[in-house]
Amino acid sequence: MSNSNYDASVLIEALPHIQKYYGKTVVVKYGGNAMINEELKDAVIHDIVLLSLVGVRVVIVHGGGPEINAMLKKIGKKSEFVKGLRYTDRETMDIVQMVLCGKVNKDLVTLINHAGGNGVGLCGIDGGLFQAVRKTDEDGTDYGYVGEIRKVNPEPVMDMLESGYIPVISTVAQGMDEDTGYNINADLAASKLAVALQAEKLILLTDVRGLLLDRNDESTLLPEIKVSGVPKLIKDGVIAGGMIPKVDCCVEAVREGVRQANIQDGRVAHSILIELFSDNGVGTMFF
Amino acid sequence: MSNSNYDASVLIEALPHIQKYYGKTVVVKYGGNAMINEELKDAVIHDIVLLSLVGVRVVIVHGGGPEINAMLKKIGKKSEFVKGLRYTDRETMDIVQMVLCGKVNKDLVTLINHAGGNGVGLCGIDGGLFQAVRKTDEDGTDYGYVGEIRKVNPEPVMDMLESGYIPVISTVAQGMDEDTGYNINADLAASKLAVALQAEKLILLTDVRGLLLDRNDESTLLPEIKVSGVPKLIKDGVIAGGMIPKVDCCVEAVREGVRQANIQDGRVAHSILIELFSDNGVGTMFF
Amino acid sequence: MSNSNYDASVLIEALPHIQKYYGKTVVVKYGGNAMINEELKDAVIHDIVLLSLVGVRVVIVHGGGPEINAMLKKIGKKSEFVKGLRYTDRETMDIVQMVLCGKVNKDLVTLINHAGGNGVGLCGIDGGLFQAVRKTDEDGTDYGYVGEIRKVNPEPVMDMLESGYIPVISTVAQGMDEDTGYNINADLAASKLAVALQAEKLILLTDVRGLLLDRNDESTLLPEIKVSGVPKLIKDGVIAGGMIPKVDCCVEAVREGVRQANIQDGRVAHSILIELFSDNGVGTMFF
Amino acid sequence: MSNSNYDASVLIEALPHIQKYYGKTVVVKYGGNAMINEELKDAVIHDIVLLSLVGVRVVIVHGGGPEINAMLKKIGKKSEFVKGLRYTDRETMDIVQMVLCGKVNKDLVTLINHAGGNGVGLCGIDGGLFQAVRKTDEDGTDYGYVGEIRKVNPEPVMDMLESGYIPVISTVAQGMDEDTGYNINADLAASKLAVALQAEKLILLTDVRGLLLDRNDESTLLPEIKVSGVPKLIKDGVIAGGMIPKVDCCVEAVREGVRQANIQDGRVAHSILIELFSDNGVGTMFF
Amino acid sequence: MSNSNYDASVLIEALPHIQKYYGKTVVVKYGGNAMINEELKDAVIHDIVLLSLVGVRVVIVHGGGPEINAMLKKIGKKSEFVKGLRYTDRETMDIVQMVLCGKVNKDLVTLINHAGGNGVGLCGIDGGLFQAVRKTDEDGTDYGYVGEIRKVNPEPVMDMLESGYIPVISTVAQGMDEDTGYNINADLAASKLAVALQAEKLILLTDVRGLLLDRNDESTLLPEIKVSGVPKLIKDGVIAGGMIPKVDCCVEAVREGVRQANIQDGRVAHSILIELFSDNGVGTMFF
Amino acid sequence: MSNSNYDASVLIEALPHIQKYYGKTVVVKYGGNAMINEELKDAVIHDIVLLSLVGVRVVIVHGGGPEINAMLKKIGKKSEFVKGLRYTDRETMDIVQMVLCGKVNKDLVTLINHAGGNGVGLCGIDGGLFQAVRKTDEDGTDYGYVGEIRKVNPEPVMDMLESGYIPVISTVAQGMDEDTGYNINADLAASKLAVALQAEKLILLTDVRGLLLDRNDESTLLPEIKVSGVPKLIKDGVIAGGMIPKVDCCVEAVREGVRQANIQDGRVAHSILIELFSDNGVGTMFF
């Protein structure tokens, strides 16, 4: 990590930015390439540890699709999707829970600890953090053990933050209607947790640049947009497809009291630091 | 759980026992039949929740051999053992971590929460609770990713207890020498945690009655023994085979400041309550 | 207190009940046979100590008619009553204060301490807990130093509860209009203290079964009644005579925020435990 | 309490004295004429309230011989004394407890509260403050329920001081050997409590000027003496008779860590203020 | 400070007065003769230390006109005044800041410390206590670096009070519009600080007796007046000239929540004690 | 402060360095060119504010020779020096106190506040921080009001740090032997304060590169040296002249428990950040 050209005096540039986030809560939904590419992963982890050190109350929420797929494949089970969501039968649910809470989560905590942070990994079951019921659609679509969050109890996360830990949260919820864990959407979980913590910022790390006015031209990136302007963009087709649920998470968070929500490019190294601690935003900010 | 013949006045019998453990720490190593049989499992969970409620600081440490075996089988991998320990290659270690931290741990927390307790599941990686190096024998035996605990940092567990949670601990350690998790022995982990917490009592739930002077006669159960008397019993062959490492855990705990350590019969329903809150001991107590 | 047949596993039956009262405040008006019969007394004291141990904030309020009578007799003074209340001249007031605060109160604290509790005895004078003026009737009836509570300062009781003590309260009030102590009604004092503490439950221990629809048939016991239903029962004569003021205390308490108030049979051993920690109520509950 | 000639500027004279005792603990054994004469009583009470107000942690320990005698007389019982101590049979013990804890104690608390202080009355039974066994002499003398303090638990008094109350303590102890209260000597109790609280000063209010070199000449008052000089004064007969046990209490207190102990003249109005807050000592100071 | 005739029992006269101000905040604007005459100064300092000791949260706000004049004279600069306010050019502002914060303030702290108090000197710059903009009149009058307080942040003063210090405040403000300190009026600053602290009392020490109905007859002193009565007194010419801004400070303070504000005679030794701790008021009280 | 080329990701380089100083105390003696040159001054102030933000407990100690000289000149007084120390007569002392505590100190606090920090300015008189006696040499040299520190009471500084302020300390001490302030040496004061706070690091900002083996060749800078090696360097003449007292301050600090002391070049912008938060040391470190 040493760099012969590094000049500590550059830290002064960060001063006003650090002051802005001091003591504030930032929830990072961690996923996509930033979670697969080792170098990007290392950058995210160090960003998180630095944030924690300079007084930001940072929380990581993670999913783990690729690792779940790999494990399912290993036991010879095909991943099935219904309306874009993983169909989660009993056996799949067990694998989801094992991979997320047992593998991805603890590996992230290990990395944080090795970087000098003090990580603790929880899932939505611990302390009743996320409580959910089975997801039901009006058309009767069955998703298996996919849950809809009905209650967020942020106490366990706040207790960890107070004790100085960096909480790392797996997106498995505790069943309210059945004696089971539920597979829940990580973007939604991050959004709802940000609301429950009344966070300053929600960051969704994705594999896109942000909202582009012209999908084929990255120079048309929309750096920021008021949530009131979103419906028009959907109508105009600027926000479409897989972006819609992500944008919804941002809009919902801001409407419920989170000051800013970002959809940003996790493929850029240290994009979290760049977004928070410089004038150069990364991706699109909803406010 | 309702019983028409239950008479609340019997609670008075428990009074002096509850007084004895009020505010004290009890570490329960949970395993064996008590973890497989649904009825016994339910009894253990309710015992734990009750202990927590009446002011005992209770901590559960668990392994999960059968569930690990089942998962290994599912991916078509054979369980191998070296000198009685599971040989843990890279792939096995991943399964161990997933099953313990992701499945067994969270299922236990779910049960605790459903019984009205407030459980939080951690493993040795969280907050650097258990830190280990690769186990090495003088004869060069290789166990793979089996670890020897070198450092116990009880802070995360104490923080949870202070915040009113029931900590449930998976026996995976954070590597000090390599960037990996390690598979660690649950009896040993429970013993070392009990020492770090300066617990009042360590309870090892097993599938035996306790120490029997005559292995074939349960009426020869030794209800209690001073740790100074253990060497003679080993010499006499009363303590032998698989009992030796369990007894060592108890002896070590007591020598390092735990007031009492029990090897007790997890096949008896509510054996924890019976041991702590009545005059009838269950199994053998080391002091 | 040892019982060869006692089985600790029965404690599990109490679990949901204990959970219900954990951290809640219960005010027990202690009197009648339960205060005279040695065995019943012992049962009440142990009930109280157990409640305190399992996390209930329990407060005892007591009178002491029989002991006052005995002492008055000893100094050759006749007990006089006006409209059912003890006429309390100067000399009687001194005796009342001495017997309640000096004898009954400290004897109860002694019993609690011997049972392993941590009792502290106060009266309404201490810390200005109960402040009263001389009771006056419109018809000019004179009761001597009988007081009407005008102000309750629950601070001293809350300070004791916070410090882990079991407060035992004598029903003598500090005069606001005169430089004297006042003799106050114990049921009323308990009711007003329960309100000031916003207790979960007020329990009046009496020498009757509770409200009986047919006074001569204990099988007609009314297990519970809404306070809104009380006026009709008075009109119907079901509640009459000495029961009226006791019922009034319960109604008043519930109206001012106490969740439940019980008139229950102190002649049943461990009736407090049975009421709180089982499904079998004892007496009549107002809510 | 108003005085047309009072000049507030005189308070400045008290400044260095108040500074000296700020935050320190002072234990006052209250008795003798200062407890009988209404004007002196009023002065003592106001002294105590003022001390509390200017940051002194003040504790009152009281007996009540005359009131006990009066009550015994009322029930037609003769006061008996053995070697200067009241012979305390069962009936007498009940009267002692009632008069001290129920009458004298609560009357003092009433006076403190009326003077604007915040008094709370306890006895040695409350919270196990004073724990005693039956007093035994080698010659087999029987004193009845007279106790010797074996253990002082200052917690309840410290809890009261922390919560801002002025503790008023009756000298009745809880029995360790029998299920009874014990009558204990007030000077001794005050001395032992001062030690347990590591007080700055112990003040014994008496009906004498202090130690006089010539018993018939008050001008020979010894204003102060090192505890090491006491044995010689006893040998010389300067300290004799009833003064010996009082001096012993002072010597013992100083030896165990109390900085100063005073035997002083309670017949002088405001003698406590004069002793603490002026250069004019009152009586004899042991250090 | 010793006085052979001083009788500590007179302290009792102060008891009800001390009780009245216990734990309350009193802001003293210190100035005039009381700040020049050595004897008066000594009296004020001791009054302040005594107040602090008996539980009053006392804060001193000071100016220092004569010392500023002397210093200006020393550097050969003429003091200029515009509409009664010192015209403060850059060089004058430096002198004002130096004399107030560096000389007068620290000398006062020295005196407090020597009297046994625990003083800490701050000015309006420290912790952003007083924040001001350049004073502007509608007629365009220029006062140089004279500021108008726009924001009071009482945190630093409250922090000092909590830590047990006596805060001594120089009336220099931090510029909000320019990177400079500002010279601010001490009466106004004291008034605004009293409001921000929600003080019980504001005392302006002056060189007059108070409000006189007949300016030439001190016997016509108005001991107290409701703020609603002030306008009539101004109209009648009773309040006029230099008294008007001082009275405005008092009226404003009372209107914004300070319970009482006093204009009182600093030429009387110990006038602060006399005002607070006796029935004899000094000067005129606004309420 | 904005820089189009600034890349926030460079902050990651600082991570291990920030971790090293997190929660530690650093005392900076501020003086020389870094205090005169506006650009350097700005850099130092921003360094300090950043340190405070990232969890370093930073304290500034300052002198102010040039400003004192300027003021003395203004009043027509010649600066006199004795053995290298300013001869401080009464009038000079007043100027020293005014300039340091009133001008330099408050100007620094203003800059800190404008940079977003929370500064509070104190001197050695406040809360009795530095207590001194008149400096005396054996040869009878008279320095006037130059003081030798005899007692450091770090409480006021620790209180400020706890409350989140950046303490800025002027080097004027409170007299123990005379009722005066004393002029004290800033290097010595910083050293003694660092010891009293048990600081991690003492930094003396100077106008030299550090210790040079060859005075004329900056490339011979000694980056670090054990305090045990200092005597030899003095003997060899490497440390000589004005460096000797500065080195003594460092040696003394390290010997009394400060982990490291630095003599470093204040003429390098952001030298504090570079020293603490990079691998490139600035100047010479004593350890």
Side-chain angles (χ1 to χ4, degrees), chain E residues 15-276:
Chain E
L15 182 52
H17 303 286
I18 297 178
Q19 288 173 327
K20 200 169 126 198
Y21 284 101
Y22 189 80
K24 300 288 169 56
T25 301
V26 173
V27 175
V28 177
K29 153 63 204 314
Y30 180 40
N33 266 309
M35 209 160 158
I36 296 166
N37 175 301
E38 285 304 317
E39 211 166 310
L40 288 175
K41 200 176 197 170
D42 194 65
V44 168
I45 294 299
H46 281 87
D47 283 9
I48 296 292
V49 172
L50 183 69
L51 286 186
S52 163
L53 199 63
V54 301
V56 181
R57 295 159 64 96
V58 63
V59 179
I60 309 176
V61 177
H62 69 88
E67 304 223 18
I68 293 169
N69 289 344
M71 193 66 199
L72 286 174
K73 198 173 156 195
K74 203 167 213 164
I75 66 164
K77 190 164 185 104
K78 231 183 80 194
S79 296
E80 280 181 74
F81 290 84
V82 181
K83 290 195 198 167
L85 294 178
R86 181 186 303 278
Y87 179 78
T88 310
D89 60 15
R90 183 70 266 162
E91 189 181 40
T92 304
M93 184 59 224
D94 280 356
I95 296 296
V96 165
Q97 190 179 312
M98 272 193 284
V99 170
L100 293 187
C101 309
K103 187 81 188 75
V104 180
N105 187 279
K106 300 312 175 191
D107 286 355
L108 286 174
V109 173
T110 300
L111 290 174
I112 286 171
N113 291 358
H114 277 271
N118 203 0
V120 163
L122 301 178
C123 74
I125 294 168
D126 295 299
L129 172 54
F130 290 128
Q131 295 171 38
V133 297
R134 186 185 271 254
K135 180 179 170 63
T136 52
D137 281 6
E138 292 188 358
D139 63 7
T141 313
D142 179 22
Y143 302 92
Y145 292 96
V146 170
E148 274 185 5
I149 297 171
R150 283 289 159 83
K151 195 177 153 197
V152 178
N153 169 23
E155 282 292 330
V157 173
M158 292 192 295
D159 286 343
M160 299 293 150
L161 289 170
E162 281 311 306
S163 301
Y165 297 105
I166 299 173
V168 181
I169 314 295
S170 297
T171 48
V172 168
Q174 176 172 312
M176 299 173 88
D177 51 354
E178 287 185 60
D179 199 350
T180 177
Y182 279 116
N183 182 8
I184 53 175
N185 179 272
D187 291 330
L188 261 168
S191 171
K192 283 182 182 296
L193 182 56
V195 169
L197 294 168
Q198 285 296 291
E200 179 73 6
K201 192 153 200 150
L202 165 68
I203 293 178
L204 302 183
L205 283 187
T206 64
D207 288 345
V208 298
R209 261 313 256 130
L211 288 189
L212 302 180
L213 289 179
D214 173 350
R215 207 156 309 179
N216 302 314
D217 181 357
E218 294 215 337
S219 75
T220 65
L221 176 75
L222 212 61
E224 60 179 51
I225 177 168
K226 287 207 169 163
V227 295
S228 56
V230 164
K232 186 169 186 313
L233 287 186
I234 291 177
K235 201 174 131 220
D236 295 352
V238 173
I239 301 170
M243 277 305 263
I244 292 183
K246 282 182 184 294
V247 167
D248 279 353
C249 286
C250 290
V251 170
E252 191 62 16
V254 170
R255 286 216 172 112
E256 302 283 335
V258 174
R259 227 173 57 79
Q260 301 177 345
N262 274 51
I263 291 179
Q264 79 184 46
D265 195 345
R267 298 167 305 180
V268 177
H270 299 297
S271 74
I272 298 171
L273 282 195
I274 295 166
E275 170 62 30
L276 296 178

Side-chain angles (χ1 to χ4, degrees), chain D residues 20-256:
Chain D
K20 201 169 123 199
Y21 284 100
Y22 189 80
K24 301 287 171 55
T25 301
V26 173
V27 174
V28 177
K29 152 62 203 315
Y30 180 40
N33 265 308
M35 209 160 159
I36 297 167
N37 175 301
E38 285 303 317
E39 211 166 309
L40 289 174
K41 200 176 194 170
D42 193 66
V44 168
I45 294 298
H46 281 87
D47 284 9
I48 295 291
V49 172
L50 183 69
L51 286 186
S52 164
L53 199 63
V54 301
V56 181
R57 296 160 64 95
V58 61
V59 179
I60 311 175
V61 176
H62 69 89
E67 304 223 18
I68 294 169
N69 290 344
M71 193 65 199
L72 286 174
K73 196 172 157 196
K74 203 168 213 165
I75 64 162
K77 190 164 184 105
K78 231 181 81 193
S79 296
E80 279 181 74
F81 291 85
V82 181
K83 292 196 198 166
L85 294 178
R86 180 187 303 277
Y87 179 78
T88 310
D89 60 15
R90 183 70 266 163
E91 188 180 41
T92 303
M93 185 59 224
D94 280 356
I95 295 297
V96 165
Q97 188 179 311
M98 272 192 283
V99 170
L100 292 187
C101 308
K103 186 81 187 72
V104 180
N105 187 279
K106 300 311 174 189
D107 286 354
L108 286 174
V109 172
T110 298
L111 290 173
I112 285 172
N113 291 357
H114 277 272
N118 202 0
V120 162
L122 301 178
C123 74
I125 294 169
D126 295 299
L129 172 55
F130 291 127
Q131 294 171 38
V133 296
R134 187 183 271 253
K135 181 178 171 62
T136 53
D137 282 6
E138 291 188 359
D139 64 6
T141 312
D142 179 22
Y143 301 91
Y145 292 96
V146 170
E148 273 186 7
I149 298 172
R150 284 288 160 83
K151 195 179 152 195
V152 178
N153 170 24
E155 283 291 330
V157 173
M158 292 192 295
D159 286 342
M160 300 292 149
L161 288 169
E162 281 311 306
S163 301
Y165 298 104
I166 300 172
V168 181
I169 314 295
S170 298
T171 47
V172 167
Q174 177 174 313
M176 299 172 88
D177 51 353
E178 286 186 60
D179 199 350
T180 178
Y182 278 115
N183 182 11
I184 53 176
N185 180 272
D187 292 330
L188 260 168
S191 170
K192 282 180 181 297
L193 182 55
V195 168
L197 295 168
Q198 285 296 292
E200 180 73 6
K201 194 152 199 149
L202 165 68
I203 292 178
L204 303 184
L205 284 186
T206 63
D207 289 345
V208 298
R209 258 319 253 128
L211 288 190
L212 302 180
L213 289 178
D214 173 348
R215 205 156 310 177
N216 302 314
D217 180 0
E218 293 215 336
S219 74
T220 65
L221 176 75
L222 212 60
E224 57 179 50
I225 176 169
K226 286 208 171 163
V227 295
S228 57
V230 165
K232 185 170 185 312
L233 287 186
I234 291 176
K235 203 176 128 218
D236 294 352
V238 172
I239 302 169
M243 277 306 263
I244 291 183
K246 281 181 186 292
V247 168
D248 279 353
C249 286
C250 291
V251 169
E252 191 63 16
V254 170
R255 287 218 172 109
E256 301 283 335

Side-chain angles (χ1 to χ4, degrees), chain B residues 111-128:
Chain B
L111 290 173
I112 286 172
N113 292 357
H114 277 272
N118 203 359
V120 163
L122 302 177
C123 74
I125 295 168
D126 296 298

Side-chain angles (χ1 to χ4, degrees), chain B residues 7 45-46 55 77 82-83 97 109 148 161 182 184 194 206 220 222 239 264 272 277 280:
Chain B
D7 172 8
I45 294 299
H46 281 88
K77 193 167 182 99
V82 181
K83 291 194 198 168
Q97 189 179 311
V109 172
E148 275 186 4
L161 289 170
Y182 278 116
I184 52 175
T206 64
T220 65
L222 212 60
I239 301 171
Q264 78 184 47
I272 299 173
F277 291 167
N280 307 312

Side-chain angles (χ1 to χ4, degrees), chain B residues 1-18:
Chain B
M1 190 166 319
S2 159
N3 179 336
S4 60
N5 294 324
Y6 157 63
D7 172 8
S9 67
V10 77
L11 294 172
I12 284 304
E13 304 283 339
L15 182 52
H17 303 286
I18 296 178

